[in-house]
Each structure stands twice: as structure tokens, then as C-alpha cells.
Amino acid sequence: MLSLPDFPNRQRDFLLEITRAITAQLDVTEVLRRVLRASVVMVAGQVGLIALRDEDDLFRLRAYTGFPEDKVDALNALLQQLIVGAESGDSEYLTNKLQEMMHVVNPDLQQSIALPLVFAENPLGLLIVFRSYQARITPMDTQSLQSFADQAAIAVNNAQLYERINQERQQLAAILHYSGDGVMLLNAQLVIIQMNRAFEQMTGWSSTLAMGRKLDEVIVWKHLEHNDLKDALAKGWPRQKPPTTITETLYVEGDVQRRDGMVASIGITYAPLFNRNGRLGNIIANVRDITSFRRAQEMQNVFISTVSHELRTPVALIKGYASTLNRQDANWDMSVVHQSLQVIEEEADRLAELIDDLLTASKIQAERTVNLQMADVRLDSLGEQSVERLKTQTTRHQFTLSFPDRFPAIQGDGRRLRQVIDNLLTNAIKYSPNGGTITVGGRFTDKNVTFFVRDEGAGIAETDIGRVFERFYRVESNLTRKTKGTGLGLYLAKSIIEAHHGEIFVKSAPGKGSNFYFTLPRD
């Protein structure tokens, strides 16, 4: 034990060393090590330990001296029992558990001194020193250990606060980095000071090139729906509001030129951040790629216009022929009546087919599947029937069937597969207006059957091949503008084939015709 004159000086030196450790670093382990060393020296102890409460609300050793590591697990188990006794206020139980701990560490130990580590009435841990002799625990002992325990509690609290703040910072950084929306942070001068990976992908600007640049150097509008951020700031945005109100945001939408020269449609929501002086400090920008949304809107508008036209045409024909036949001042020949009724029937069938396609497409979109009635199906027979039925629609085309002998039957929905074949054959007729040969055929292996329709028509550009099976999509060309269609046929065909666990493809090139084919499993 230190002599009385040396005690205050030594305690002061230890406290100064511990305080420096706390202020110099946030490594709680090093602070605990110094606290424990000072505690053992000041009360002339041989063994010391510090236990802290962890996330599971259990106390575990974080620093110890005077015993080997193989004692740690046994001491951790006794610590939990010790805490139960401390919380219950059973002093005899507490004393017995401290005696057990001394015996586990070293049977020669005689006395224990234990103090809680408390910060702002929050129990953080426990400081215990064991010594090999029995002596009165003096006020100096208690004062010394209490001083070190208080310093340890401050260090633990600071470290835990720093750990929580650091964890939250890492979580926010991860959310920012991996967000599907672009995020950009501007200062009050509209200089980019931070951005995430999604923003890089949307604009083509890397963070190393964009950060430090003015906003209008990176966001170059080709077309703007509303006023830009700079215009809004000039007009007084944002108006500062009390902290309890919702922050005033600004939405800007338009087409922006990427750094690689391509154009993308984006929507940006700007949110202001004010500093303590009430001035605009930063602006957070949330950037969303709306290219697909705009494309879908355009496709939907085209679809509505096309469907309206497609519906009006048969309705107008049906009404026209019916009105003509209903004229009271005319005496129609039976051949004229028969011909007119045939047109009415054909247009009614066409109208019913269009409505059926619309309903089927809507159902597929809602249910994400196609209901099938499975039975034995011969694709070669379906192909031959479709050719016989549709070849009356043209006088410019020759039809060829190309199926090998013993073409196998498969399990499928005959009505749905006939719908696919009719669609492919109708497209082959429509998109080869100059005539030529249309070949309908198939091949088979032990596992699959393949059906194809090949024409000698206008063909499809490579940029459109990947999208011809999309809902409402139609290739943009002079021929398609003159040809009736809703952009649903190939979408329905793809949905039906995939419902059969098959795949549908197209091989084509402008001016060289198209070959649509699908493959279905034999099993």
C-alpha cells in the first residue's frame, strides 16, 4: 500500500493519465486497461477485473489482470449470478459470489472490493479488485476506486456513444450508396459535395469528376418541364419554416443529357437544409430515373389511340352495312344482302378478337399467369389449319408447310397455341406486303419441339428485336404506321408460350424477312 503522503500524488497522476487517455482516443479497451492498473496499484491488490454490460444485457469481462485467460469463462458465468444478487439487494448472496470468484481466480485471495460503473444513473459495468490479505477498507481505498470507476464510466459512455453514432453513420452511408434512387448533396452555392452510385449511373458522371462542380455543369437539361432550381432560388425558394412544419420541397422534371451524350428522363426532388442561423446551408437532391415511366406513358397513349382506331373501324363498317340493309327505299338483291352480312360477320369476329386480346392481356397483367386447359396437341396440324384459314386473306403470298414425318404430339392448350400460331402467321402476311413465300414448319428432338413461321418481308431492326414482345410495343416504321395492330399479339404469344414452360424468339434483319419460332418441352 502506498504511504499516506504519496497517496494523493499517486492518485492524481493516475487520474491525469486516465483523463489523457479518454481525451486522446475513443478506444475503450485502452482506457479500461489503465483504469484497472491504477485501481490495483492504489489498493495494493493482486487481481483486478472490469466487466461491462453488452447488447444482450449480460455482463462480460472487458479488462483483467492477475489471472490467466482460461479463467474468463467461469468468471463470466459467476458475474451473471453476482449481478442478480446485486440487483436483489441480498448482501450475503453477493458476498458469497465474490468469494466464489476469488476462489476461481486464486484460492489464496482474501478480500474483494467491488464498485459499480455508473453514468447518469445508468449502470454500465462493474470494477472489482481482489487482494491477498484482509484489511479494513479505508475511505482512501473507496475514494481512489470511486475516482477511477467514475473515469471508466465516462470512457465507456463516450465509447458507446461514438460506436452508436459510427454505426448510424455507416448505415446512412450504406443506404445512400446502395439506394436505387440517385442522391446528391449541394452546398448553398449549388456545388456538388456528395453523390451516390445510382446518381453516377443515371448521369454518366463519376463522383471524382462531378464533386466540386456546379450543378448546371453536371445536370444539363435538354428539355425542362418546370423551372430549374436556380430559377426557384431566384424567386425566393425555399421559405424557411418552423422546425415542426414539413420542409418545403421543389420538384423538377425533364430530359437531361448524360455525360456520354445519351438522353435520360429524370425527376429531381430538392429539399433544403438550414443552418443554426436560419440560412440555407445545404440542398439534398433525390434523383429518380423516369425514362421507363415516360416510355410506358407514350406506349399507353399510342395504344389508346390505336385501339380507339381499331375499335372504330369494325364498328363503323358494321353500322354502315346494317344501315344500308335497313333502308326502306331499297330492294336489295340476295347476293348483296349475303355479301353485306358476311362483312358484318367478319367485322364482328374481328371486334370480338380485339376485345378478347384486350381482356386476355389485362388478365395476364393482373394475375401474372395464363390459365391453360392441357391436352394432347399436334402443332403440325394446328399450323396446317391456320394456313388453310388465313391464306384466303392474301393473293400475293405462297404458303409452304415444312414438318418432318412423325411430328410428335405434346401436352398443351390447343386453343391458346392456335392463337399464337394465328398471330405469327397474320404478322407474316401483314409485314410482307410485297408477297413472297411464308413457310410454316417445325423440328423436334427427344426433349423439345420447335415451331416456326418464316417470311420474306420487311424484317426488323436489331434495336427493335429485344422489344417486339413487350406489351403495346410496335416497331416504328412507314409500314407499321400503315398496318393495323395494337401491339398486343406478340406480348400474348410470349405469355402463352412461357405459361407452357417454353421460349419464343425471333431472328430478323431489315429487308431480309423474319423468322419467329418457339420451343416447347415434349414432357
Side-chain angles (χ1 to χ4, degrees):
M1 186 74 177
L2 294 174
S3 62
L4 193 60
D6 293 336
F7 191 92
N9 293 332
R10 188 62 168 151
Q11 182 182 25
R12 184 194 61 204
D13 292 342
F14 276 132
L15 285 174
L16 183 60
E17 178 186 349
I18 295 167
T19 303
R20 285 173 178 169
I22 292 174
T23 56
Q25 58 187 324
L26 288 166
D27 183 2
V28 69
T29 302
E30 176 61 22
V31 176
L32 294 180
R33 187 186 66 80
R34 297 189 188 191
V35 167
L36 189 60
R37 181 172 70 89
S39 301
V40 171
V41 170
M42 293 303 294
V43 297
Q46 284 72 46
V47 174
L49 59 90
I50 295 178
L52 298 182
R53 188 193 299 268
D54 62 14
E55 294 178 353
D56 299 327
D57 207 30
L58 298 176
F59 282 77
R60 301 185 190 280
L61 292 183
R62 288 291 300 272
Y64 56 88
T65 183
F67 60 88
E69 186 177 355
D70 59 8
K71 307 283 188 181
V72 169
D73 289 341
L75 290 173
N76 276 330
L78 288 170
L79 270 171
Q80 314 314 316
Q81 301 173 24
L82 180 70
I83 297 303
V84 171
E87 291 176 346
S88 66
D90 188 341
S91 58
E92 184 178 353
Y93 179 86
L94 190 63
T95 302
N96 291 336
K97 289 303 172 186
L98 285 171
Q99 291 288 341
E100 287 185 43
M101 293 181 71
M102 281 194 297
H103 184 77
V104 167
V105 173
N106 186 345
D108 296 332
L109 295 173
Q110 298 293 318
Q111 191 174 36
S112 62
I113 308 172
L115 284 175
L117 306 182
V118 179
F119 185 87
E121 299 184 359
N122 180 31
L124 304 175
L126 192 64
L127 167 65
I128 304 175
V129 176
F130 298 111
R131 52 192 182 189
S132 58
Y133 62 92
Q134 284 280 358
R136 186 176 68 87
I137 299 176
T138 67
M140 283 188 179
D141 291 339
T142 305
Q143 178 189 358
S144 174
L145 287 183
Q146 189 62 61
S147 300
F148 299 141
D150 291 343
Q151 294 298 310
I154 293 171
V156 171
N157 183 71
N158 290 347
Q160 289 177 343
L161 283 176
Y162 175 77
E163 186 176 356
R164 282 197 295 269
I165 292 171
N166 189 51
Q167 186 176 10
E168 290 176 1
R169 182 185 62 81
Q170 290 176 343
Q171 290 173 347
L172 289 174
I175 292 171
L176 173 68
H177 186 68
Y178 294 107
S179 171
D181 288 345
V183 179
M184 171 176 55
L185 184 63
L186 308 171
N187 64 17
Q189 290 73 44
L190 304 189
V191 173
I192 299 173
I193 57 178
Q194 193 172 356
M195 55 192 281
N196 70 346
R197 185 171 59 179
F199 183 85
E200 293 179 335
Q201 294 171 344
M202 289 181 197
T203 62
W205 283 83
S206 66
S207 57
T208 53
L209 289 174
M211 285 196 294
R213 292 179 180 265
K214 286 277 192 177
L215 175 65
D216 53 10
E217 293 182 56
V218 176
I219 302 295
V220 180
W221 295 105
K222 298 289 288 183
H223 171 73
L224 193 60
E225 296 287 342
H226 310 288
N227 290 336
D228 194 4
L229 175 61
K230 190 179 291 185
D231 300 324
L233 288 169
K235 293 178 180 178
W237 181 89
R239 295 183 297 276
Q240 187 178 7
K241 297 184 178 182
T244 56
T245 61
I246 298 174
T247 303
E248 181 183 7
T249 60
L250 173 71
Y251 182 73
V252 177
E253 180 180 310
D255 299 326
V256 67
Q257 182 172 314
R258 291 166 43 90
R259 192 165 188 272
D260 56 14
M262 298 179 67
V263 176
S265 298
I266 62 172
I268 306 178
T269 301
Y270 294 104
L273 294 176
F274 296 98
N275 57 28
R276 285 184 295 179
N277 298 324
R279 295 181 179 179
L280 182 65
N282 295 100
I283 299 174
I284 298 177
N286 183 275
V287 187
R288 178 159 294 181
D289 189 338
I290 58 173
T291 305
S292 298
F293 173 74
R294 284 196 163 192
R295 185 184 298 130
Q297 272 191 323
E298 291 172 6
M299 289 171 60
Q300 186 172 355
N301 292 337
V302 171
F303 167 73
I304 291 172
S305 175
T306 303
V307 167
S308 298
H309 174 73
E310 291 288 306
L311 288 172
R312 277 198 300 265
T313 302
V315 169
L317 285 171
I318 291 171
K319 184 176 180 181
Y321 275 94
S323 298
T324 300
L325 292 176
N326 197 38
R327 284 177 55 182
Q328 300 296 323
D329 60 341
N331 186 17
W332 301 112
D333 185 81
M334 286 305 298
S335 61
V336 175
V337 173
H338 179 73
Q339 184 180 4
S340 299
L341 290 174
Q342 186 175 2
V343 171
I344 291 174
E345 185 179 3
E346 289 174 355
E347 293 303 320
D349 289 341
R350 178 180 161 195
L351 190 59
E353 184 180 347
L354 178 59
I355 293 171
D356 185 55
D357 283 352
L358 290 171
L359 291 174
T360 303
S362 177
K363 191 172 183 180
I364 291 172
Q365 190 71 11
E367 298 180 0
R368 304 291 180 183
T369 187
V370 181
N371 293 323
L372 303 177
Q373 301 295 325
M374 305 298 281
D376 285 341
V377 177
R378 291 286 300 269
L379 292 179
D380 52 346
S381 299
L382 290 182
E384 186 176 355
Q385 293 167 14
S386 290
V387 169
E388 288 297 320
R389 188 167 56 256
L390 296 174
K391 70 180 181 181
T392 57
Q393 295 183 2
T394 176
T395 58
R396 295 186 176 184
H397 299 83
Q398 294 79 43
F399 295 88
T400 301
L401 295 172
S402 177
F403 291 97
D405 294 335
R406 299 185 300 280
F407 197 82
I410 62 166
Q411 283 288 304
D413 187 321
R415 184 175 68 87
R416 292 295 189 186
L417 292 173
R418 183 171 63 249
Q419 184 179 357
V420 173
I421 294 169
D422 284 352
N423 180 273
L424 298 182
L425 196 52
T426 301
N427 282 353
I429 295 171
K430 287 196 299 186
Y431 296 110
S432 55
N434 297 325
T437 300
I438 295 176
T439 305
V440 177
R443 302 288 182 266
F444 67 91
T445 65
D446 292 339
K447 295 182 178 181
N448 302 308
V449 296
T450 299
F451 183 97
F452 67 86
V453 176
R454 183 169 58 240
D455 64 59
E456 297 174 347
I460 304 171
E462 185 177 354
T463 53
D464 292 311
I465 284 179
R467 301 191 58 198
V468 293
F469 295 104
E470 292 181 12
R471 192 169 58 125
F472 307 145
Y473 184 79
R474 299 192 74 207
V475 175
E476 183 65 24
S477 69
N478 291 330
L479 177 57
T480 55
R481 282 192 287 271
K482 297 175 184 177
T483 306
K484 298 175 182 178
T486 60
L488 285 175
L490 291 177
Y491 167 75
L492 294 176
K494 183 174 186 289
S495 300
I496 292 168
I497 294 303
E498 288 180 347
H500 284 81
H501 303 288
E503 295 180 284
I504 187 168
F505 309 93
V506 57
K507 291 182 180 179
S508 185
K512 296 184 179 180
S514 301
N515 182 15
F516 282 85
Y517 59 101
F518 60 84
T519 299
L520 299 176
R522 291 183 62 175
D523 184 3

